[in-house]
Amino acid sequence: MPVADYCLVVVDCPDPAALAGFYAAVLGGEIQQDSEDWYDLYAPGGHRIAFQRAPEHRPPRWPRGDDNSQQLHLDFHVKDMGSAETQVLALGAMPLDLDDRDGERGFRVYADPAGHPFCLCRE
């Protein structure tokens, strides 16, 4: 029997409204503001991601594991890698590692506008 039930992922960032908007544009769903410092994204499929203001947030340096490790990353399945890449870059994502070895690896790594790594993964 599990000890707990999964609830959500909370992402620290300097601007929770902006980062919630970025992920809503990527995933769809509805944003709800709990306070000036906390926004929830209710994504399709019942998934919830929260964004919490962290004024001293320092973006992680992917893929390093030193004192400023990646902190977390999110994976998203996509049907068309090229189209998905164009869209996330237009939304403000930054490329970190786009060498998917001609599709052999099956994923590409980006940073969201606050610097958190996320991967677009071939479905």
Side-chain angles (χ1 to χ4, degrees):
M1 173 174 245
V3 173
D5 293 323
Y6 170 80
C7 179
L8 76 149
V9 171
V10 180
V11 180
D12 285 354
C13 58
D15 185 346
L19 201 56
F22 171 83
Y23 281 105
V26 171
L27 298 172
E30 180 182 327
I31 297 171
Q32 293 184 7
Q33 180 180 1
D34 185 55
S35 73
E36 182 180 312
D37 296 329
W38 186 282
Y39 286 72
D40 289 304
L41 171 60
Y42 292 87
H47 304 287
R48 179 176 157 213
I49 305 172
F51 302 90
Q52 171 178 269
R53 184 177 314 279
E56 303 300 318
H57 176 263
R58 292 182 332 173
R61 292 181 301 211
W62 185 89
R64 296 179 55 171
D66 58 13
D67 64 327
N68 193 22
S69 68
Q70 72 173 294
Q71 300 167 13
L72 69 88
H73 82 267
L74 302 170
D75 288 350
F76 304 116
H77 283 130
V78 298
K79 293 180 184 187
D80 181 335
M81 183 69 77
S83 175
E85 177 176 283
T86 298
Q87 292 176 61
V88 299
L89 292 174
L91 290 167
M94 297 164 286
L96 294 178
D97 182 356
L98 302 183
D99 182 13
D100 65 357
R101 299 183 193 113
D102 294 321
E104 177 186 318
R105 192 170 73 172
F107 67 92
R108 296 179 185 169
V109 186
Y110 307 82
D112 68 26
H116 302 103
F118 70 93
C119 297
L120 296 181
C121 305
R122 293 189 197 288
E123 202 168 55

